[in-house]
Amino acid sequence: MLYRANGGATTSYTLRGEVSNNKNKESKNIYWGYDEEKDTVSWENNRTVTINGHTLDVEKDKYDFRRE
């Protein structure tokens, strides 16, 4: 699931991506993008997703603009 957040008048929109494990119902953040109002999401298979050009293995990868 992707969430769009507005930080207020002095910041741009951000996108936060979250995946849920259907077996144990746990969720974790895998994507945090800054200055992104729109999203492009493509699932390659059950483990691999591409969000706005960033390809992630949902079991081990994370994208966070603050750490790039």
Side-chain angles (χ1 to χ4, degrees):
M1 182 152 315
L2 285 176
Y3 300 93
R4 183 174 67 153
N6 180 348
T10 60
T11 62
S12 294
Y13 283 97
T14 60
L15 283 179
R16 183 177 65 85
E18 178 181 285
V19 292
S20 298
N21 184 320
N22 289 334
K23 293 178 184 174
N24 63 17
K25 306 298 180 196
E26 292 182 4
S27 298
K28 67 178 181 177
N29 292 328
I30 62 164
Y31 187 84
W32 191 267
Y34 181 70
D35 197 20
E36 299 180 8
E37 286 190 48
K38 297 186 181 203
D39 60 84
T40 303
V41 178
S42 173
W43 283 92
E44 310 302 324
N45 54 49
N46 287 341
R47 284 184 58 161
T48 308
V49 63
T50 301
I51 304 171
N52 288 352
H54 301 278
T55 301
L56 306 169
D57 179 327
V58 299
E59 293 191 16
K60 64 179 182 172
D61 296 335
K62 292 182 182 181
Y63 171 76
D64 188 332
F65 76 95
R66 300 169 293 184
R67 290 172 174 66
E68 296 299 311

